[in-house]
Amino acid sequence: MLWKYGILALLAPLVSSRLSDGRLHGNMRPRPAIPIAPVPDKPVVISKNGTVLPPYTTIYYFNQLIDHNNPSLGTFQQRFWFTYEFYEPGGPIILMTPGEANADGYEGYLTNTTMNGLISQQENGATIIIEHRFFGLSNPYPDLTVSSLKLLNIQQAIDDLVYFAENVNLPMPGGDQVTPTQAPWILIGGSYSGALTSWAMVNKPGVFWAGYSSSGVVQAILDFWQYFEPVREGMPKNCSADVEVVIAHVDDVLSGSDTKAINGIKANFGLSDMTHLDDVAGALRNNLWDWQSLQLSSGAGTVFTQFCDALEVKDGKSAGPEGWGLDHALSAWGAFWRNGYLKRVCSDPKNPTAEACLGTYNTSQPFWTDTSIDNDYRSWNWFVCKEVGWLQNGAPTDRPTLVSRLVPSTYDMRQCQQMFPEAFPEVPVTADINNTNTIYAGWNAKIDRIFFVNGQRDPWRDATMSAEGLGKESTPTQVINLGDGFHCSDISARAGVYSKPLADIQKKALATFHTWVSEYKPTAAHGSAPPRPVASTTSDEGFVAPHTSTVGKKPISAWQKGFF
């Protein structure tokens, strides 16, 4: 078992080289990850009674079951971060997993720079960040082979949260007397972990007293073309008009037989060395994926803004809402790629060519075969391929589209077969989204005491409870809010500085949680639970965790920066 802690840190750097935004290659979809919350510059953390507490970055370990269906397999050590800065006896325990990422770097969610900490401060609670199984350094097994990943699924993730809540002995006075029967536990999440909040409360009712779901992608969808709808609606009209006309032309040329015209399209974007035309068409999705990097605090000068300016500003004059038309837009978009954007996307010096960076057919490239731990995109793609889908492709033919229809869902599902051939001997037709939506209810969830907040401009909006046309009713106990933010904008305590609607939603949330926490009644007397080992900063094998979490640190993806 020594591999679990001493060797894990040595294995982490072996993960394949990444693109500038953290993806494994340029035709791989971005994850719906919750943004990083920086740790406040606070040299000493002091509790309400004046006790000096460990830094926010202190790592603790919990002995989590490897397989909740077979406890005899034993446990692995799951990392978590914790503070009781605002805690008073009787206060809530606020639990969050960042989901599909190494949790090192998310310690800011312990603090009052986020809704987690604001609720904790108001209600005298303690806050916890727990690392998701098979992400970061919380791994039941020492690799990410298919054999290991069989224990990565939604149900095991839910069971981890429940087992932790019911068995952890938190490192604070009375930390063994705060199980869900003794204290109100509030489960908070954003994006995938926001969905996990809803799914856990559906699947294990009565464990978590209340929940907060920011941009929770509750509905599994295979062909998630709607991802680009908030982008089309929110971007400048002249830019969307010109993108649509260019994509229609690209699809027409690349699906034809005019070799000269095809080569012209490739050369226009600096992609002449690319072999497969669907990879060429798919690569252009990158400009639209950049929308996911936007936040209310982004301001001018973002990459997405630069893209639209390149298309729409000519000789110092901006196009009208109809755009400049095909000739100028095609030429300008190509120049934008050739003059810097291609180099930005394909920044890995080991894969400097467009074919190496954007091509998806060469299965000898290491990102298909690398099974070392702390490879979040491999772990995430397992979820995508098996349970949730969310493939981001062109719109149906009766709808305008910003991205090529030459990359249908089968294009992305082929990547599942290439990354996990042992699990998919043939290209899978679909992920098991029907099972996911049936078991965990998706849009049909009916939950007591959950607060959903979604963003009008969030590209993931149409997988949330605020999906266009869904008409899901908000109730006093299942509150659904649609703000004017982007992805998980509301979970930042500073969101209200940039948006009056989000300021109002955050005030509403704090008032709602005050009511819900006051309604909690313990169902077990203090002292009735058997003693449990105190969570430690030392693993069972004697590997002492550093007090500042640097183990397995990964670069922050560009689109995650600048949120707070």
Side-chain angles (χ1 to χ4, degrees):
M1 296 286 283
L2 181 62
W3 58 264
K4 287 201 292 188
Y5 312 105
I7 306 253
L8 280 183
L10 299 177
L11 287 176
L14 299 179
V15 176
S16 350
S17 298
R18 305 298 188 96
L19 304 184
S20 59
D21 62 0
R23 290 176 297 151
L24 296 180
H25 71 86
N27 259 313
M28 182 174 285
R29 305 153 309 282
R31 296 165 297 150
I34 190 169
I36 293 285
V39 180
D41 184 13
K42 195 172 189 178
V44 180
V45 182
I46 301 175
S47 74
K48 295 185 75 170
N49 66 8
T51 302
V52 176
L53 303 180
Y56 300 126
T57 51
T58 303
I59 304 174
Y60 300 92
Y61 293 91
F62 175 73
N63 291 323
Q64 183 63 262
L65 292 178
I66 291 173
D67 183 355
H68 293 275
N69 297 318
N70 185 5
S72 67
L73 291 179
T75 63
F76 70 97
Q77 292 211 314
Q78 189 170 28
R79 300 195 300 175
F80 72 97
W81 291 255
F82 167 78
T83 191
Y84 62 104
E85 178 180 5
F86 304 118
Y87 182 75
E88 292 182 6
I93 308 301
I94 297 169
L95 176 65
M96 183 183 114
T97 175
E100 68 279 31
N102 184 317
D104 191 341
Y106 287 84
E107 300 91 342
Y109 285 96
L110 299 175
T111 76
N112 60 6
T113 65
T114 64
M115 285 301 296
N116 307 44
L118 290 179
I119 295 171
S120 177
Q121 186 174 34
Q122 173 182 273
E123 301 302 326
N124 306 312
T127 49
I128 305 167
I129 301 299
I130 189 168
E131 192 166 63
H132 196 294
R133 64 168 50 213
F134 287 102
F135 290 91
L137 305 185
S138 296
N139 291 269
Y141 294 119
D143 55 45
L144 300 179
T145 61
V146 166
S147 177
S148 297
L149 290 174
K150 287 179 180 178
L151 290 175
L152 174 60
N153 55 58
I154 293 169
Q155 191 60 56
Q156 292 281 352
I158 291 172
D159 291 343
D160 281 351
L161 298 174
V162 171
Y163 188 78
F164 179 88
E166 293 179 342
N167 292 279
V168 71
N169 184 351
L170 294 173
M172 69 176 185
D176 61 342
Q177 300 294 319
V178 289
T179 66
T181 60
Q182 298 165 302
W185 280 65
I186 298 173
L187 188 59
I188 293 183
S191 198
Y192 158 66
S193 71
L196 198 60
T197 297
S198 178
W199 295 339
M201 295 182 75
V202 166
N203 188 248
K204 300 290 183 181
V207 175
F208 299 103
W209 180 248
Y212 184 103
S213 174
S214 172
S215 296
V217 284
V218 297
Q219 184 78 1
I221 301 169
L222 181 70
D223 188 359
F224 188 41
W225 61 268
Q226 297 96 328
Y227 173 94
F228 297 105
E229 283 296 278
V231 184
R232 187 177 64 83
E233 295 164 1
M235 68 194 294
K237 297 304 179 187
N238 53 10
C239 191
S240 63
D242 276 341
V243 168
E244 289 171 31
V245 74
V246 170
I247 286 299
H249 176 71
V250 167
D251 279 6
D252 183 56
V253 172
L254 296 188
S255 59
S257 57
D258 186 336
T259 303
K260 182 178 179 180
I262 290 171
N263 289 337
I265 290 291
K266 293 166 64 175
N268 183 60
F269 293 99
L271 306 177
S272 292
D273 72 325
M274 294 193 68
T275 304
H276 297 275
L277 298 183
D278 52 357
D279 285 340
V280 173
L284 301 183
R285 291 180 293 178
N286 279 278
N287 298 108
L288 288 310
W289 281 329
D290 286 333
W291 181 269
Q292 187 168 311
S293 70
L294 301 181
Q295 279 297 342
L296 293 167
S297 57
S298 294
T302 66
V303 175
F304 191 90
T305 301
Q306 293 172 28
F307 166 64
C308 279
D309 284 349
L311 268 63
E312 302 310 321
V313 179
K314 181 171 63 171
D315 299 327
K317 181 181 178 182
S318 294
E322 70 283 355
W324 291 115
L326 175 61
D327 289 345
H328 174 78
L330 179 62
S331 174
W333 194 345
F336 185 74
W337 269 70
R338 298 191 311 274
N339 295 335
Y341 189 79
L342 178 58
K343 185 176 181 180
R344 176 185 179 274
V345 173
C346 298
S347 57
D348 179 7
K350 296 180 180 178
N351 296 304
T353 68
E355 177 62 28
C357 166
L358 297 162
T360 63
Y361 285 84
N362 180 1
T363 56
S364 68
Q365 289 179 287
F367 55 74
W368 300 117
T369 58
D370 181 7
T371 60
S372 56
I373 64 158
D374 200 13
N375 182 350
D376 47 14
Y377 266 87
R378 182 176 178 86
S379 297
W380 177 244
N381 276 324
W382 179 258
F383 265 131
V384 167
C385 298
K386 297 289 287 186
E387 295 188 280
V388 296
W390 294 325
L391 309 179
Q392 297 147 26
N393 310 120
T397 55
D398 62 341
R399 300 291 298 263
T401 187
L402 298 178
V403 300
S404 173
R405 296 189 178 97
L406 300 182
V407 282
S409 59
T410 50
Y411 174 88
D412 289 318
M413 293 305 285
R414 172 178 49 79
Q415 297 184 27
C416 296
Q417 196 275 332
Q418 292 176 190
M419 187 169 280
F420 308 110
E422 301 92 340
F424 304 107
E426 304 293 336
V427 176
V429 175
T430 184
D432 199 358
I433 59 171
N434 290 335
N435 187 63
T436 299
N437 291 331
T438 298
I439 294 176
Y440 307 110
W443 288 326
N444 295 316
K446 294 181 180 178
I447 302 167
D448 283 337
R449 295 179 300 276
I450 190 168
F451 198 94
F452 290 101
V453 188
N454 305 307
Q456 181 66 41
R457 292 180 279 185
D458 179 7
W460 295 92
R461 181 196 65 202
D462 285 347
T464 75
M465 284 291 200
S466 299
E468 190 74 20
L470 180 63
K472 190 73 176 180
E473 182 182 358
S474 179
T475 71
T477 58
Q478 182 167 292
V479 186
I480 302 172
N481 304 270
L482 180 63
D484 60 346
F486 293 89
H487 193 55
C488 299
S489 295
D490 58 282
I491 208 165
S492 167
R494 287 182 54 78
V497 174
Y498 303 98
S499 164
K500 175 64 164 56
L502 283 184
D504 292 341
I505 288 172
Q506 289 181 332
K507 290 177 184 177
K508 178 181 176 183
L510 290 171
T512 299
F513 278 93
H514 182 69
T515 298
W516 287 346
V517 170
S518 70
E519 293 171 347
Y520 174 83
K521 304 295 181 187
T523 56
H526 283 288
S528 63
R532 296 184 296 278
V534 178
S536 174
T537 56
T538 305
S539 77
D540 289 346
E541 274 67 29
F543 173 72
V544 180
H547 280 279
T548 55
S549 52
T550 58
V551 176
K553 194 77 171 182
K554 302 181 86 63
I556 297 175
S557 296
W559 67 268
Q560 294 175 311
K561 293 181 179 178
F563 177 47
F564 292 78

